[in-house]
Structure formats: C-alpha cells, structure tokens
Amino acid sequence: MSGHNKWANIKHRKGAQDAKRSKVFTKIIRELTIAARDAGGDPDANPRLRAAMDKAKDANMPKDKIETAIKKGTGELEGEELHELLYEGYGPAGIALIISVVTDNKNRSAQEIRHILSKHGGSLAENGAVSWNFERKALIKVPKEEVEDFEEFMMEAIEAGAEDIDENSDPVEITTDPDLMAQVRDTLKEAGYSADEELTYIPKNTVTITGNDAEKLIKLLNVLDDNDDVQDVYGNYDIDDAEFERISESL
C-alpha cells in the first residue's frame, strides 16, 4: 500500500472519531465547490465531483450542504473566491511531498505551509522539484471480502481500463487513468461490487523509512491535516504497516 493511501485510511478512521466535524466538512465543502467550478455540477460528467460527493456522504454530510457547495461552484449561489494550489516540499529524511491546498488567501497559506514544514524537519521546494516523481491517477477501492474470485475480478477490472490492481491491500486498490475512473467504477458496480473512488498522486519511486524518521513524518502529516486549507498530502514514503498503525494510534 502506498504511503498516501495508508495515510488516507488513518485519516478516515480519525475523522470518524473526531469531535470537530466542522473541520472535516469545511474541507469537503471546498472540494465540492472547486470540482463543480472546474467541470460543472453533474457528477456523471464530472468524476472529481462524484468522488467528492462520495466523500461527503461517507462523512454523513447533510444533503443540503452538499447541494449548496455545488451551487456555489457552478455560480448559482454566491460564494467566497477560492484558489486551488499545489505546494511541493520535503519532509523528514528527504521524503518528497505534494500538498494540495484550497484557500481564500494564498499568502496566508504559503506562510503557514512553509512554517509547518520547517518546524517539523522539512522545507518548501520549487515547482517541479518533486512532482516529476508522481503521476496523477484515479484510485478505486473495493472491499476485499467482496472479491471471492480474484481472477474473475481482475479480468473485469482490466477490461474496464484498470492499469494496476493491488490484491494485497484491504480494500483492494485499482489504479487507472483519471479519464477512465467513472468507467472502471461503474463496470465494477454493475458486476455487484462496492466501489469508492478518488483522484490521487502515485509516486514512481518510494523511500522506506522507519523509527524516528517515520514518527517525525507522521507527526508532520497530522499537523498538515489539521490545517484548514490543506486538502490532502501525497508522499513517496513507505512505512511498514504495523509501524505505521502503531505510531498513528499513539499520536
């Protein structure tokens, strides 16, 4: 399982237990608005919006909040001016990071991200310094208990456009081109599988870290996640599953 996906799973559990639901909702609302602004309010024609709506439903966001966020994106309702930014940087042990931000104040966000990184053993980098090591991909997840015949499942996914399938992860993770995300998802759902999707950045090469470096990195990820403007963080780290769980649960 790639570093980012481990962190996404930890975040999901953390979010489900987090009393500060408003922080979670704020990030999802901004994602809904940006997705609708960029490619329209129809989730069937806008894979990114569809993924954001699935995330909103998983977080038990009220339907009226979802609809309002989308209407602000399409211009049907007035909303704040939002800017979508990607910061590149380094974490402890030289781990490459891409930090996705949605903000109403670009200067504030840049200062906060720079401060967080420097305080936790990292630094901001110039555009292109780390992004060359990542590919924009769609990630589709299917509960492992639903996959009774993996060979059959794999053939269905590949025929629909899957590029890679990680049968060792739980849920099973399918990687594909972002343009094929809806096609692969719908094919699997028609075959009777549950399927959640998201857009992500997959590292071409990863760096294994352990011990103190791993603890420092996870602390950094926690602090970044607590920042209202940070939507997501992608990294090229690889940490043993058991160690990742142990450190994350202790924070």
Side-chain angles (χ1 to χ4, degrees), residues 3-4 9 40 58 82 98 100 117 128 137 156 158 175 183 198 200 204 207-209 226 234 238 245 247 251:
H4 167 67
N9 291 340
D58 286 344
L82 295 175
I98 293 181
S100 172
L117 288 173
K137 293 293 181 181
E156 289 174 330
I158 291 174
T175 306
Q183 177 177 305
E198 65 179 90
T200 187
K204 300 174 185 176
V207 177
T208 299
I209 58 173
D226 283 338
Y234 310 92
D238 185 27
E245 292 278 353
I247 296 172
L251 297 177

Side-chain angles (χ1 to χ4, degrees), residues 157-231:
I158 291 174
E159 288 178 7
E163 295 178 356
D164 186 59
I165 304 172
D166 185 357
E167 63 177 302
N168 296 316
S169 65
D170 189 6
V172 176
E173 296 181 344
I174 302 161
T175 306
T176 188
D177 186 277
D179 291 338
L180 297 177
M181 180 169 73
Q183 177 177 305
V184 176
R185 178 203 65 219
D186 291 345
T187 297
L188 292 173
K189 285 190 172 183
E190 288 170 6
Y193 301 102
S194 304
D196 292 327
E197 75 273 26
E198 65 179 90
L199 292 170
T200 187
Y201 285 91
I202 304 291
K204 300 174 185 176
N205 300 292
T206 58
V207 177
T208 299
I209 58 173
T210 60
N212 191 46
D213 285 335
E215 186 170 338
K216 286 181 180 179
L217 177 64
I218 294 175
K219 285 181 179 179
L220 169 60
L221 294 175
N222 262 315
V223 176
L224 285 170
D225 185 52
D226 283 338
N227 184 280
D228 288 340
D229 294 340
V230 174
Q231 291 293 107

Side-chain angles (χ1 to χ4, degrees), residues 19-81:
K20 298 180 181 179
R21 302 293 292 176
S22 61
K23 183 184 292 288
V24 177
F25 282 4
T26 295
K27 295 189 179 194
I28 296 174
I29 285 170
R30 287 184 171 184
E31 174 64 14
L32 288 164
T33 301
I34 287 288
R37 184 192 71 186
D38 290 352
D42 180 4
D44 291 330
N46 184 345
R48 181 178 178 183
L49 178 61
R50 176 68 176 265
M53 291 176 68
D54 287 344
K55 188 182 296 184
K57 291 172 184 175
D58 286 344
N60 296 316
M61 180 179 288
K63 185 177 179 181
D64 63 320
K65 286 185 178 292
I66 297 173
E67 292 175 347
T68 297
I70 293 172
K71 288 180 179 179
K72 287 181 178 180
T74 59
E76 296 174 68
L77 294 176
E78 185 176 350
E80 59 185 343
E81 183 181 3

